[in-house]
Amino acid sequence: FDQPDLVKAIAKHQVEFIINAYDKVTADLAIDFVIIFEDMCYNKGPLISPRTFEEFMTPYYKQITTFFWNRGVRHILVDSDGNGISLIPLLMDVGVDGTVPCEINAGSDPLLFRKMYPNLRMMGGIDKMALIKGRGAIDTAIERLPGILEKGGFIPGVDHMVPPNVSYDNYRYFCDRRREFT
């Protein structure tokens, strides 16, 4: 807030860097999806206001998403931990069509997102804490998502990084159950 012009100059430079870096790649390869890593939320909501998003991110996001859409990228997702539900309309307005990791304990529930934004692409949505608790909790976490796969646009996975105290057996069980689910 003290140096808005500097922040905008940094964002402009980042856009130029991304477009230059991906210019040849997207010319030579068919890219299915791109994930932009932001982490602009925490468990209670966004770390920035919608006004701040619109001023400092919207113009730059539009350039990046336009570039990728014009290069035939099929989907553009934003990775942001926490609860980003109030930012989804802003992200969709700038050309983002998906979110990851749908962090359950922060309120980013793919079932809720599907109701509110039927065309939103999502990844995650399975509570990472269930993997610590064991097979029953893993089953419950997966089985709470009935019907979400039929519409498409959802890849079930852990809703964040797998905690270090998840046993190898629990992780293998999770992988097997997710494979059955999908």
Side-chain angles (χ1 to χ4, degrees):
F1 289 99
D2 294 337
Q3 297 179 330
D5 292 337
L6 175 61
V7 173
K8 290 175 184 176
I10 292 169
K12 181 179 181 286
H13 174 78
Q14 186 69 13
V15 167
E16 291 168 359
F17 177 82
I18 289 169
I19 289 173
N20 288 333
Y22 287 95
D23 184 49
K24 178 139 178 59
V25 172
T26 56
D28 294 341
L29 296 173
I31 307 293
D32 287 326
F33 67 94
V34 168
I35 298 177
I36 301 168
F37 290 85
E38 284 291 359
D39 283 347
M40 58 186 145
C41 300
Y42 73 117
N43 65 346
K44 302 292 185 205
L47 296 166
I48 59 172
S49 70
R51 185 185 66 74
T52 299
F53 183 95
E54 289 170 352
E55 180 178 352
F56 291 97
M57 299 178 83
T58 292
Y60 309 103
Y61 257 93
K62 283 183 177 179
Q63 292 175 53
I64 292 169
T65 58
T66 298
F67 168 78
F68 283 124
W69 289 123
N70 287 340
R71 292 302 179 102
V73 172
R74 294 179 55 205
H75 302 290
I76 302 171
L77 294 88
V78 167
D79 177 302
S80 182
D81 301 338
N83 187 335
I85 194 165
S86 64
L87 292 181
I88 289 175
L90 298 171
L91 289 166
M92 293 175 88
D93 285 346
V94 298
V96 171
D97 69 340
T99 185
V100 57
C102 291
E103 193 172 359
I104 295 297
N105 289 315
S108 291
D109 186 340
L111 297 173
L112 174 63
F113 286 7
R114 177 64 78 221
K115 284 181 191 170
M116 295 178 71
Y117 308 103
N119 297 317
L120 183 70
R121 308 295 181 189
M122 299 172 284
M123 293 172 68
I126 298 174
D127 184 4
K128 64 188 165 289
M129 303 311 285
L131 278 67
I132 296 169
K133 296 174 185 170
R135 291 179 178 219
I138 292 168
D139 290 340
T140 300
I142 291 174
E143 291 166 2
R144 69 176 291 281
L145 298 170
I148 196 166
L149 292 178
E150 284 75 15
K151 174 144 175 49
F154 177 69
I155 299 173
V158 233
D159 65 354
H160 202 274
M161 296 186 66
V162 175
N165 54 340
V166 171
S167 73
Y168 179 68
D169 287 339
N170 282 359
Y171 186 73
R172 285 195 52 177
Y173 182 77
F174 163 73
C175 291
D176 290 342
R177 288 288 294 145
R178 182 181 58 182
R179 192 175 302 109
E180 291 169 12
F181 179 68
T182 59

